[in-house]
Amino acid sequence: MSHMYFTEEHNLFRESLRDFLNKEVVPHIEKWEKTGTIERFIWEKFGEMGYLGLAYPEEYGGLNLDLFYTIILLEELQRINSGGFAAAIWAHTYLAMTHLNKEGDDYIKTKYLVPSITGESIGCLCITEPFGGSDVAGMRTTAVKKGDNYIINGSKTFITNGVYSDYLVVSAKTDPSQGGKGISMFVIDRDSKGVSATKLDKLGWRASDTGEIAFDNVVVPASNLMGEENQGFAYLMQHLALERLIMGVNAHARAEYALDYTKQYMSERTAFGKTIDRFQALRHTFADCQTQMEICKQFNYYVTKRLDLGEYAVKEATMSKLQSTKMSDDVIYQCLQLLGGYGYMEEYPLARLSRDSRLGPIGGGTSEILREVIAKIVIDGKDYKPAT
């Protein structure tokens, strides 16, 4: 572990977290992967340990720790080999809760953020729409002001925690005439009349619930508007740097776990009278994979440090997700190959890893979109600035 970024306190936290995950989560993973439902008790256990509040203010029950504690949480979640479980945790903690903390007033933080930190309440972030994909500005969901309420109509899709969460952080157009500049953010209770969800059947991330959500004349109190009206697009863009870094860290950690497992397998598997880690062709393939992973990991730590210092490193965070998710797919593909026929068997971890990894270049902004964002910065000279 790099002493440049991690202190002794960080390392002790990692050890205790890994022990917690092995004892409290790993025994249930196979069940959750099969049922697609994460049982509620584990959320409260995460809350009791403080894992859901690492980055949040102490006044609302958080620990207000530096961003490298978050990185440790993300890395260790990947080592239990359930991309779905990891996604459910970080989508709640760093997507939904980020907006509650950054745009929510004291009323919203008390009502929604506090129980989110304790694990009593689970959230999801609803941006993507069936006809919009990565085109956030083109969303069709609307929120029309009527007295002291907003009436919300529309739909969202590919929403992690979209079925079993308790509240939804939702983007909707309050002024469709302004296009992307007419978006606002709301927090909506799951049991609100007119909210419905359909569970989607996915290739990977099987433990998490991913939903398509419909809003049919949902009445939302004006007090549940987060931040300023028509500033939602700026809020969404401001938090994308952290979301992209999270996806990048997930990717390098996933690849590192695959490499650790594959190295152990190669040291035990024999062919032609020797272990397969003695064959030059396989050794060099492994060396290339290890190199690719390590470069991404160290770059991701560098980006983490910049964000932790308060810098708006949107270019570097975008590069993190773009390169790390591609690397993860490439490395895990090679690791599966190094296991031969066993890599294709469900009882070995590479089969699930390969499915879970494939979402990396798609979710949270496709690689094609990310390349255009980077091109605008490095070719066109566009300067992205934080909204607040």
Side-chain angles (χ1 to χ4, degrees), residues 86-107:
I89 295 294
W90 62 254
H92 164 67
T93 311
Y94 298 106
L95 298 188
M97 287 171 59
T98 291
H99 285 276
L100 296 179
N101 184 51
K102 295 296 186 180
E103 285 97 59
D105 57 16
D106 186 64
Y107 162 75

Side-chain angles (χ1 to χ4, degrees), residues 245-262:
L245 174 64
I246 286 171
M247 296 287 280
V249 170
N250 288 337
H252 87 234
R254 191 163 55 241
E256 186 169 33
Y257 169 71
L259 286 164
D260 289 347
Y261 180 87
T262 301

Side-chain angles (χ1 to χ4, degrees), residues 330-388:
D330 293 344
V331 166
I332 290 171
Y333 181 92
Q334 291 295 344
C335 286
L336 191 153
Q337 182 72 21
L338 290 170
L339 264 68
Y342 292 107
Y344 206 63
M345 298 294 109
E346 286 292 338
E347 61 194 278
Y348 287 77
L350 269 300
R352 182 185 299 160
L353 272 168
S354 63
R355 289 196 303 274
D356 287 353
S357 181
R358 190 60 190 85
L359 187 62
I362 300 172
T366 66
S367 293
E368 290 75 15
I369 293 293
L370 300 187
R371 290 188 182 98
E372 182 58 23
V373 170
I374 294 168
K376 286 180 178 178
I377 296 172
V378 301
I379 297 176
D380 302 337
K382 185 173 179 61
D383 184 20
Y384 290 94
K385 296 184 181 298
T388 58

Side-chain angles (χ1 to χ4, degrees), residues 78-372:
Q78 293 299 317
R79 295 190 66 85
I80 62 177
N81 196 20
S82 175
F85 178 79
I89 295 294
W90 62 254
H92 164 67
T93 311
Y94 298 106
L95 298 188
M97 287 171 59
T98 291
H99 285 276
L100 296 179
N101 184 51
K102 295 296 186 180
E103 285 97 59
D105 57 16
D106 186 64
Y107 162 75
I108 286 175
K109 289 178 182 177
T110 301
K111 183 177 179 181
Y112 296 99
L113 183 61
V114 170
S116 295
I117 290 173
T118 62
E120 298 170 80
S121 190
I122 303 168
C124 65
L125 177 62
C126 306
I127 304 175
T128 303
E129 297 190 354
F131 300 100
S134 296
D135 182 13
V136 176
M139 70 175 58
R140 302 181 184 181
T141 299
T142 59
V144 178
K145 187 75 178 292
K146 189 174 182 179
D148 293 331
N149 301 303
Y150 287 87
I151 310 301
I152 296 184
N153 285 282
S155 60
K156 303 290 181 178
T157 195
F158 307 140
I159 308 303
T160 301
N161 297 337
V163 179
Y164 302 125
S165 55
D166 302 296
Y167 65 87
L168 308 91
V169 175
V170 179
S171 56
K173 282 192 172 176
T174 39
D175 186 354
S177 67
Q178 292 193 54
K181 295 182 178 180
I183 294 172
S184 300
M185 300 297 299
F186 301 87
V187 57
I188 302 175
D189 293 311
R190 164 71 57 180
D191 58 6
S192 299
K193 184 179 179 181
V195 176
S196 61
T198 302
K199 193 171 185 179
L200 302 175
D201 190 15
K202 309 186 298 293
L203 172 68
W205 284 19
R206 303 291 296 181
S208 66
D209 64 289
T210 302
E212 183 162 304
I213 302 171
F215 304 96
D216 182 11
N217 290 316
V218 179
V219 179
V220 179
S223 57
N224 281 33
L225 170 70
M226 295 201 297
E228 296 180 30
E229 193 177 81
N230 299 328
Q231 291 299 308
F233 187 78
Y235 298 145
L236 291 170
M237 294 303 104
Q238 177 164 314
H239 303 317
L240 282 179
L242 176 60
E243 180 181 352
R244 289 168 185 167
L245 174 64
I246 286 171
M247 296 287 280
V249 170
N250 288 337
H252 87 234
R254 191 163 55 241
E256 186 169 33
Y257 169 71
L259 286 164
D260 289 347
Y261 180 87
T262 301
K263 182 171 69 172
Q264 181 65 30
Y265 175 88
M266 291 173 66
S267 73
E268 298 171 351
R269 179 81 161 100
T270 59
F272 305 101
K274 57 184 177 181
T275 56
I276 64 173
D277 61 1
R278 299 294 95 195
F279 291 93
Q280 186 181 72
L282 305 188
R283 291 165 61 86
H284 289 187
T285 295
F286 189 91
D288 284 342
C289 290
Q290 188 76 32
T291 300
Q292 294 168 34
M293 183 278 297
E294 192 67 36
I295 289 171
C296 285
K297 182 170 74 167
Q298 294 303 323
F299 179 72
N300 291 343
Y301 289 166
Y302 157 75
V303 178
T304 300
K305 185 64 177 179
R306 290 191 58 183
L307 290 181
D308 198 45
L309 291 171
E311 297 181 29
Y312 190 54
V314 64
K315 178 184 74 174
E316 291 79 4
T318 304
M319 290 174 170
S320 163
K321 181 184 184 300
L322 175 66
Q323 190 62 26
S324 297
T325 55
K326 181 182 184 301
M327 175 277 298
S328 177
D329 273 4
D330 293 344
V331 166
I332 290 171
Y333 181 92
Q334 291 295 344
C335 286
L336 191 153
Q337 182 72 21
L338 290 170
L339 264 68
Y342 292 107
Y344 206 63
M345 298 294 109
E346 286 292 338
E347 61 194 278
Y348 287 77
L350 269 300
R352 182 185 299 160
L353 272 168
S354 63
R355 289 196 303 274
D356 287 353
S357 181
R358 190 60 190 85
L359 187 62
I362 300 172
T366 66
S367 293
E368 290 75 15
I369 293 293
L370 300 187
R371 290 188 182 98
E372 182 58 23

